[in-house]
């Protein structure tokens, strides 16, 4: 039992499932139903974003044709596990997220002018906040009892050409999802301690 378990408002088993005992899986088994895939997003959407912008977009890859295209764009070490995972998600951000301002922040659109005038700021905000949502996506996967295998070892330019040719989305993460398969986890890797990364000013 750690101080995190002692201070948490959820039970120790939940803390372990979402945080302390959860690890990136490298092989997968089982099934992820459409209802479960939907439930992952239904939890993800509650993560915080600037101006409630919600730029994250999720593309679930289920068809053999789409899976083959995706696997071709991955680094060699990521190909086999992605080919066999029950479900794979491509996480991307909407490049025109700010155009939906009246949907995500109705009644207060004054900040939109800043994004209309500066494409670089728009892209950075979309990218940064989608990454924030991606963390919640992984926690959602874990909270539903699945293992997540997030990967950045990919040619995201190729993924964008294959899956988002209109340029309306920019991918940044591929996540394998399922029950852990055989030998899913290697030896646990060290994590930095509190005193290594935290300071109080």
């Amino acid at each position: 039992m750690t101080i995190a378990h002692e201070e948490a408002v959820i039970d120790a088993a939940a803390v372990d499932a979402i945080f302390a005992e959860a690890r990136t899986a490298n092989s997968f088994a089982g099934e992820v139903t459409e209802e479960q895939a939907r439930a992952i997003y239904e939890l993800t959407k509650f993560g915080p974003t600037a101006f409630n912008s919600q730029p994250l977009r999720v593309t679930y890859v289920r068809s053999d044709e789409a899976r083959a295209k995706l696997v071709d764009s991955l680094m060699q070490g990521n190909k086999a596990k992605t080919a066999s995972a029950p479900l794979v998600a491509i996480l991307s951000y909407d490049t025109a997220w700010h155009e939906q301002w009246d949907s995500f922040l109705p009644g207060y659109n004054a900040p939109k002018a800043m994004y209309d005038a500066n494409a670089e700021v728009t892209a950075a905000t979309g990218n940064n906040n989608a990454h924030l949502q991606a963390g919640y996506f992984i926690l959602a996967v874990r909270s539903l009892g699945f293992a997540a295998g997030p990967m950045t070892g990919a040619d995201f330019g190729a993924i964008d050409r294959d899956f988002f040719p209109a340029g309306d989305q920019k991918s940044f993460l591929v996540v394998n999802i399922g029950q852990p398969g055989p030998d899913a986890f290697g030896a646990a890797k060290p994590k930095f301690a509190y005193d290594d990364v935290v300071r109080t000013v």
Side-chain angles (χ1 to χ4, degrees):
M1 192 71 77
T2 69
I3 189 172
H5 291 85
E6 294 166 359
E7 294 294 322
V9 297
I10 56 178
D11 66 30
V15 172
D16 286 341
I18 300 172
F19 296 102
E21 299 297 329
R23 294 166 60 196
T24 296
N26 290 302
S27 71
F28 297 86
E31 177 188 13
V32 183
T33 67
E34 182 60 31
E35 291 75 16
Q36 290 165 330
R38 181 179 291 270
I40 291 169
Y41 175 71
E42 289 297 327
L43 293 174
T44 299
K45 71 182 182 182
F46 293 111
T49 54
F51 299 112
N52 196 40
S53 53
Q54 305 163 72
L56 179 71
R57 300 294 177 263
V58 180
T59 302
Y60 285 128
V61 180
R62 288 198 183 271
S63 73
D64 291 342
E65 179 183 3
R67 184 77 65 106
K69 285 183 179 179
L70 177 59
V71 168
D72 281 346
S73 297
L74 301 178
M75 291 178 60
Q76 190 61 42
N78 292 333
K79 291 179 183 291
K81 56 189 172 184
T82 302
S84 62
L87 182 62
V88 184
I90 301 171
L91 303 191
S92 58
Y93 73 89
D94 181 352
T95 57
W97 61 269
H98 61 303
E99 298 298 346
Q100 299 186 59
W101 203 281
D102 289 337
S103 297
F104 61 72
L105 201 65
Y108 180 60
N109 65 359
K112 182 176 181 292
M114 171 175 62
Y115 297 105
D116 290 336
N118 193 323
E120 185 174 331
V121 171
T122 301
T125 301
N127 179 66
N128 292 343
N129 284 274
H131 275 76
L132 178 58
Q133 289 183 279
Y136 277 81
F137 183 91
I138 294 167
L139 294 179
V141 169
R142 292 173 171 179
S143 74
L144 294 175
F146 296 109
M151 302 173 293
T152 56
D155 182 345
F156 287 104
I159 292 174
D160 290 345
R161 288 191 296 273
D162 284 337
F163 290 88
F164 315 118
D168 57 335
Q169 296 180 48
K170 294 290 185 185
S171 60
F172 61 89
L173 193 66
V174 176
V175 186
N176 293 327
I177 303 167
Q179 297 297 333
D183 302 316
F185 308 109
K189 299 177 179 65
K191 301 297 184 183
F192 290 120
Y194 180 91
D195 289 338
D196 294 326
V197 300
V198 179
R199 68 181 183 131
T200 301
V201 296

